[in-house]
Amino acid sequence: MNKASSLRNRIGKEKSHTYLDNAEEKVKSYKPIPLRHFVHFLFLILVVCILVIIVEKRLPKGLGLSDEKQHPDKFIAERAHNILKGLTRIGPRIAGSYENEVLAVNYLINETKKILQEAHHNHVIELDVHRTSGDFNLEFLDGMTNVYRDMQNVIVKVGSRIKSPHSLLINCHFDTVINSPGASDDGAGCAVMMEILRVITKSNKILRHNIIFLFNGGEENFMPASHGFITQHKWAKGIRAFINLEACGAGGREILFQAGPYHPWIMEAYSEEVPYPFASSLAQEIFQSGVIPGDTDFRIFRDFGNLSGLDFAWSSNGYVYHTQYDSLEQIPLGSLQRTGDNILALALGMAQGHQLSNIEHYKGGNLVFFDFLGAFVVRWSMEVADLINILTVIISLYSLYANSKTMETSDYIPKRTYIKKLFGCVGSVLWSWVSALLGCLAIAFLLNSTGATMSWYANPVWILFLYVIPTYTACMLTIYLHASYFNKELILSPWTLFQLYFDAYQLLWTIFLALGVIARIRSSFIALIWVIAATIENLVKTQLYGKWRDSKWLLLHIGVMGLPFVQGFYLTISALYLFIPIMGRAGAASYAEFLIAIMASAQFCVLLCFAVPIILLVQKMKKIFSSMMGIVLLSIAVLLLTPFGFPYSGNPKWLAPQRFMIVHSQRIYHDISGNVENNSSGFWIVDMDINSPHSVDKYVPEMRYAISVDQDCHDYLYCGLPYLVPVLNMLGKTHWIPTMSAPKTTPIHLKYRRENISAGQRLHLEIRGSNHIGIMISPVSGIDLKSWSLNSKYPLAGPKWHGRETYFIYYAHGLTPKPLNFSIDLKIPSNYTGYVIDLAISTHNLFGEGKESKPLQKFISRFPPWTTVTSWTATYESWLL
């Protein structure tokens, strides 16, 4: 029986308008591609991915001091590098320490004065050292009230004889976290600003508007210094826009990850001025969703200054972020040059522009923006985005309708049959994504249950073998099986099958795009790119190829759909660079293996959607499935049976250390009479990733005896532990190792008195301790905390404890010790007797002689070189008042 007869028998009793009458013609189009061509296709995808990674890592040449004569108005990376060297030489600069409040401040002042000595007379320059105090609510992490005293800022205002009342603000912070020299976070930002200050002031070009350089000294204390500046400083009222420099990694490219709000002209300035763009509103939506555990001064300028601006951060090499490894060696000259060139051009463009004179005139909606491989920026307002998206949806649906007509005339499939099959294929695509996700979760479960988690942490290539290949295999297998069982009458016409499933992907992306318009999602541009490419391909195929299918059709498919694939992989690789290191500091309860499995599977279901239907054109498909499954099984075996899957690295050339946070703590509990009912000491192990704390049992025997604090979290406010900031939801899974000796910390002094007021009681509190204090309050059931004497608008509640409200106050001050005095007003039922609140105070020695006790030093000295330990001493003391 020939192929045409076989085709007729399979189709059976299709109506007269089917493709029966042209079966012979269809047999001519039965030209599946050889297996080797599919292998070449996979190799092409791999090559493209490697090229994208190379482009993503590319940096400009860093200019040296010897290049300055040839580039008199250019940013000189070597000079910024030298400034950064001097700043990091001071060491860790924790707010309140001598290093931060004296040495760093004096260093910045002296460097500024050197620059001002060479300034051109066309500029009017003022230098101010600002000391500020205040408080504000911060709805970040679990929520807290931030109280600060004597935070310092070094501020330089560059203006001209024009005497413009309008200013552009550029901000960095020079303080650091514990143990870290803070080269990238945020010493590099300050070094870049200092060099920009030199270039601008040395030039004879007159500025239309002022530029204010804010070197703030308290960002790591949850942004009090920037709050004090924007709410209190004499120059703050004239600021019309801002640029914020930050880091959550070291080196690489700075990403513009927040813009606005409501001022599209800022993005226009960015896209027109910067030579090396790297921006995405997708990153902004991810960051503002709270998925990334961090925040920046952008929030302060936006929320408390009512300003719009741009937020930049280095995101590569997040392994060294907030560790001792965040050193000068991690910052290449090319990164400083790139950031310096971009910010210098942007600052001059904004300061010389006319928009700062009347920013309300240029106010608009939210922004959609993204760069294409760092070459240029695409940006538009949400209104324009809606128009583009809606038109694209309409044109896409039209192209699918045109395909239904083509199927009827060329492939002899009635429209009704085509539509029915199309929606069936959409269902199979969705199921393929579910299958891929379930398969990856099964692998993650296996690795999690065998203790072989986070292999991708130090070696991200494991994601390819553990999750990308299974995702592609599951998607292809699902589509192949669906085609074999539900579209078997088309099995001898693979090009028709391919078109049908390709149309299903296009329809699905079109639906996603329409939903994005309804939900006002700015990252809908991802769906937009896929829909536009698919629509163009379908329209071109309809016009050029008609009913004939051959390799030219496939080449068109690869060429057109390769564009959204390249852009999608560019975004994906940037996201993975960011999220993989975060899994090392997201806490033991983060289920890192499952999160990466979900992320990788979801991202590559999207990325490889154009490559999945090609399986329907390939000969010997079973060899493909067996080969891919063999690769996956072999990879899992290697991971489980060899040391190649070890998740951490202490190699200076490729750092990926496991993080530990250890606090030598004393815990003191007072009963209702004020007597001490419990006093204990120990090492508090804050589990930073899923493998903590027992990954180092072999090196640190004490870790074997670490006990969970779950019961303490039930019995005591904030687990009876000295939380520095409220992070119970993120870092609630911790352990405790008892010790014989207590650390010598700054003692806590509490004074209080009660005052009867209408409907309740007022508690006056005076608290003394170290420079950094956490205050936890929980009124008992039936009692409400109505107000307090702090300047914040209202008491901000955090996570509930036994159904009771909790409140967290973070208090920090400068060099001079100052007590915190405030009162709280409680609404108490008239017949109530007993204590009214649980009060706990933690005091932290983050620097100086008391930072590390001898037992703590001995304990952390045993940790292996592939770990990094952040440590200090603290006391937690609680009362029933």
Side-chain angles (χ1 to χ4, degrees):
M1 183 182 293
N2 61 31
K3 289 179 178 177
S5 300
S6 173
L7 182 61
R8 285 191 174 94
N9 290 336
R10 285 183 135 187
I11 295 166
K13 298 180 180 179
E14 280 282 347
K15 294 183 179 180
S16 59
H17 211 66
T18 65
Y19 41 80
L20 281 171
D21 299 329
N22 295 77
E24 293 288 350
E25 197 171 16
K26 287 192 63 59
V27 170
K28 292 180 183 179
S29 69
Y30 179 73
K31 296 179 181 179
I33 62 176
L35 179 59
R36 68 178 183 277
H37 288 179
F38 184 74
V39 175
H40 294 159
F41 171 67
L42 294 181
F43 180 73
L44 176 63
I45 290 178
L46 181 61
V47 169
V48 169
C49 291
I50 292 173
L51 291 176
V52 171
I53 291 173
I54 292 173
V55 169
E56 201 278 337
K57 290 184 174 295
R58 185 178 58 192
L59 294 171
K61 177 188 175 183
L63 295 180
L65 296 175
S66 59
D67 300 312
E68 189 171 357
K69 289 184 179 180
Q70 290 77 28
H71 306 280
D73 294 325
K74 289 280 287 183
F75 183 95
I76 304 299
E78 185 179 355
R79 184 178 280 106
H81 184 269
N82 292 337
I83 293 172
L84 180 59
K85 183 188 296 184
L87 188 59
T88 55
R89 191 178 290 138
I90 296 172
R93 303 174 297 281
I94 298 92
S97 68
Y98 180 79
E99 289 78 7
N100 192 67
E101 307 304 325
V102 177
L103 297 182
V105 169
N106 288 341
Y107 179 77
L108 292 171
I109 292 172
N110 292 334
E111 289 298 317
T112 301
K113 288 181 177 179
K114 291 178 187 178
I115 291 172
L116 300 189
Q117 288 174 359
E118 301 179 357
H120 196 276
H121 60 78
N122 282 344
H123 304 289
V124 177
I125 305 170
E126 298 176 74
L127 170 65
D128 184 39
V129 179
H130 178 227
R131 184 170 292 179
T132 180
S133 302
D135 64 80
F136 60 99
N137 286 342
L138 187 60
E139 294 181 4
F140 171 63
L141 298 174
D142 294 342
M144 64 180 174
T145 299
N146 193 336
V147 182
Y148 58 95
R149 300 289 183 266
D150 295 339
M151 293 288 113
Q152 292 194 93
N153 295 308
V154 178
I155 315 166
V156 184
K157 182 179 180 181
V158 181
S160 67
R161 309 297 177 189
I162 296 175
K163 295 183 178 180
S164 170
H166 312 296
S167 301
L168 169 70
L169 174 68
I170 310 178
N171 174 71
C172 71
H173 69 88
F174 58 84
D175 67 312
T176 72
V177 297
I178 314 164
N179 288 12
S180 178
S184 67
D185 185 25
D186 186 27
C190 293
V192 165
M193 280 175 50
M194 195 68 75
E195 173 61 5
I196 290 174
L197 174 64
R198 183 197 68 82
V199 175
I200 290 176
T201 56
K202 200 170 183 180
S203 170
N204 62 357
K205 295 179 181 178
I206 297 175
L207 294 176
R208 174 182 287 190
H209 300 294
N210 311 312
I211 301 179
I212 295 174
F213 294 81
L214 171 60
F215 303 87
N216 90 65
E219 194 272 349
E220 298 295 357
N221 273 29
F222 295 94
M223 303 160 291
S226 59
H227 178 270
F229 168 79
I230 206 64
T231 58
Q232 302 171 31
H233 197 269
K234 59 185 178 181
W235 294 336
K237 291 182 179 180
I239 295 172
R240 298 295 177 262
F242 67 89
I243 298 171
N244 186 50
L245 301 183
E246 257 294 352
C248 58
R253 306 181 300 160
E254 83 291 343
I255 181 174
L256 170 58
F257 67 100
Q258 292 192 96
Y262 311 124
H263 283 84
W265 70 270
I266 295 177
M267 273 307 304
E268 292 177 6
Y270 176 81
S271 60
E272 292 171 0
E273 300 293 344
V274 301
Y276 314 110
F278 183 30
S280 174
S281 51
L282 171 64
Q284 180 167 2
E285 288 188 324
I286 291 173
F287 185 82
Q288 292 181 351
S289 71
V291 173
I292 299 174
D295 211 341
T296 74
D297 289 314
F298 181 97
R299 173 196 287 266
I300 301 299
F301 300 137
R302 179 196 65 196
D303 294 352
F304 295 94
N306 195 29
L307 296 173
S308 290
L310 302 167
D311 208 4
F312 296 90
W314 284 347
S315 58
S316 298
N317 194 18
Y319 301 105
V320 304
Y321 171 73
H322 281 191
T323 73
Q324 73 218 47
Y325 298 117
D326 185 9
S327 61
L328 187 68
E329 290 72 26
Q330 302 297 329
I331 313 296
L333 281 180
S335 291
L336 291 171
Q337 188 68 51
R338 176 194 162 89
T339 303
D341 287 346
N342 279 347
I343 304 304
L344 174 60
L346 178 61
L348 288 174
M350 294 176 71
Q352 300 289 32
H354 57 276
Q355 291 91 343
L356 289 182
S357 300
N358 186 10
I359 59 170
E360 291 303 311
H361 179 71
Y362 301 96
K363 190 172 184 178
N366 280 325
L367 306 169
V368 175
F369 58 90
F370 61 93
D371 72 292
F372 181 76
L373 297 180
F376 57 87
V377 175
V378 178
R379 87 281 181 185
W380 46 62
S381 67
M382 281 297 291
E383 291 73 19
V384 174
D386 289 342
L387 178 61
I388 293 172
N389 292 344
I390 292 170
L391 288 175
T392 302
V393 168
I394 294 172
I395 296 172
S396 175
L397 292 176
Y398 169 77
S399 74
L400 291 173
Y401 172 75
N403 274 0
S404 71
K405 296 181 66 176
T406 302
M407 287 284 189
E408 190 168 40
T409 57
S410 299
D411 296 274
Y412 311 104
I413 301 177
K415 287 182 186 177
R416 177 177 292 183
T417 304
Y418 165 79
I419 294 173
K420 180 179 178 182
K421 288 184 176 295
L422 181 62
F423 279 98
C425 292
V426 168
S428 71
V429 170
L430 291 173
W431 180 244
S432 73
W433 291 352
V434 173
S435 300
L437 181 60
L438 292 176
C440 289
L441 287 175
I443 294 172
F445 179 80
L446 173 64
L447 299 178
N448 206 57
S449 60
T450 56
T453 59
M454 294 182 64
S455 58
W456 35 262
Y457 185 68
N459 299 290
V461 72
W462 276 109
I463 292 177
L464 170 65
F465 297 104
L466 295 176
Y467 301 121
V468 176
I469 293 177
T471 293
Y472 190 31
T473 305
C475 288
M476 288 193 300
L477 183 59
T478 304
I479 296 298
Y480 173 64
L481 292 176
H482 183 269
S484 299
Y485 286 98
F486 294 97
N487 292 310
K488 57 185 177 182
E489 72 274 16
L490 299 175
I491 203 69
L492 290 181
S493 185
W495 295 98
T496 303
L497 269 179
F498 170 83
Q499 182 63 53
L500 189 60
Y501 284 92
F502 177 72
D503 286 354
Y505 276 106
Q506 181 180 340
L507 178 58
L508 199 54
W509 278 117
T510 304
I511 293 171
F512 289 156
L513 181 57
L515 293 175
V517 173
I518 296 171
R520 312 290 291 167
I521 299 174
R522 280 171 282 176
S523 51
S524 295
F525 72 83
I526 297 173
L528 175 69
I529 296 172
W530 285 103
V531 174
I532 290 175
T535 303
I536 290 173
E537 179 180 334
N538 270 330
L539 293 175
V540 171
K541 280 191 296 190
T542 301
Q543 296 298 319
L544 297 184
Y545 294 106
K547 63 183 177 180
W548 291 100
R549 284 67 162 131
D550 55 23
S551 58
K552 292 179 183 178
W553 198 9
L554 185 60
L555 290 176
L556 173 69
H557 174 72
I558 295 173
V560 174
M561 300 307 295
L563 186 65
F565 171 77
V566 168
Q567 179 66 13
F569 184 74
Y570 176 71
L571 293 172
T572 296
I573 201 68
S574 300
L576 289 175
Y577 283 154
L578 174 65
F579 273 98
I580 289 174
I582 285 177
M583 293 298 99
R585 59 179 189 269
S590 65
Y591 301 103
E593 196 68 42
F594 295 96
L595 291 176
I596 290 296
I598 293 171
M599 177 183 294
S601 182
Q603 288 178 328
F604 282 90
C605 277
V606 171
L607 279 178
L608 297 172
C609 65
F610 83 105
V612 170
I614 292 179
I615 193 65
L616 301 172
L617 304 175
V618 182
Q619 296 174 352
K620 301 177 182 178
M621 293 171 283
K622 292 182 180 179
K623 285 189 177 181
I624 296 173
F625 296 132
S626 59
S627 297
M628 287 190 164
M629 290 306 300
I631 292 173
V632 174
L633 293 174
L634 179 62
S635 300
I636 294 174
V638 170
L639 184 62
L640 295 177
L641 302 176
T642 72
F644 289 109
F646 186 70
Y648 308 109
S649 170
N651 187 338
K653 296 181 180 179
W654 184 253
L655 284 168
Q658 184 181 19
R659 296 169 182 257
F660 285 89
M661 188 177 291
I662 302 174
V663 186
H664 191 188
S665 309
Q666 183 177 20
R667 301 195 289 180
I668 304 171
Y669 306 100
H670 297 266
D671 60 22
I672 195 169
S673 301
N675 300 317
V676 175
E677 64 176 2
N678 192 356
N679 187 341
S680 62
S681 301
F683 297 134
W684 179 32
I685 315 297
V686 181
D687 299 328
M688 300 299 291
D689 72 25
I690 197 170
N691 292 320
S692 180
H694 297 295
S695 55
V696 295
D697 286 359
K698 176 182 175 182
Y699 306 90
V700 189
E702 293 94 333
M703 280 293 197
R704 299 170 186 168
Y705 308 104
I707 56 177
S708 173
V709 298
D710 290 345
Q711 186 59 44
D712 291 331
C713 291
H714 178 272
D715 295 340
Y716 304 109
L717 180 60
Y718 268 86
C719 304
L721 293 167
Y723 275 91
L724 178 61
V725 289
V727 287
L728 269 178
N729 289 329
M730 187 178 79
L731 297 176
K733 187 176 180 181
T734 64
H735 288 78
W736 179 262
I737 301 175
T739 60
M740 297 296 294
S741 58
K744 294 181 180 179
T745 60
T746 304
I748 298 170
H749 296 285
L750 170 67
K751 293 182 181 179
Y752 69 94
R753 63 183 178 86
R754 304 177 191 271
E755 177 186 350
N756 292 326
I757 58 175
S758 60
Q761 192 177 99
R762 177 172 295 160
L763 277 177
H764 296 271
L765 302 170
E766 180 181 287
I767 298 170
R768 294 177 182 268
S770 65
N771 295 70
H772 298 262
I773 296 173
I775 302 163
M776 296 144 272
I777 300 170
S778 180
V780 302
S781 298
I783 295 177
D784 295 325
L785 198 164
K786 302 301 293 183
S787 63
W788 53 26
S789 60
L790 299 173
N791 293 326
S792 54
K793 295 180 180 178
Y794 55 88
L796 180 63
K800 291 193 175 183
W801 175 57
H802 296 307
R804 296 160 51 179
E805 299 287 0
T806 65
Y807 303 88
F808 197 106
I809 299 172
Y810 176 55
Y811 173 56
H813 60 73
L815 274 177
T816 305
K818 290 188 175 181
L820 176 61
N821 292 281
F822 70 104
S823 63
I824 59 176
D825 289 354
L826 300 165
K827 182 179 180 181
I828 304 173
S830 58
N831 59 348
Y832 179 82
T833 59
Y835 73 96
V836 293
I837 64 167
D838 281 75
L839 172 68
I841 302 172
S842 62
T843 182
H844 301 262
N845 287 47
L846 304 181
F847 52 83
E849 295 181 359
K851 176 181 176 292
E852 289 187 354
S853 62
K854 289 184 178 179
L856 181 59
Q857 290 175 342
K858 183 178 179 181
F859 181 60
I860 64 177
S861 67
R862 301 193 184 102
F863 280 74
W866 42 265
T867 63
T868 178
V869 181
T870 299
S871 59
W872 70 95
T873 61
T875 296
Y876 172 100
E877 195 164 358
S878 68
W879 292 265
L880 306 176
L881 300 183

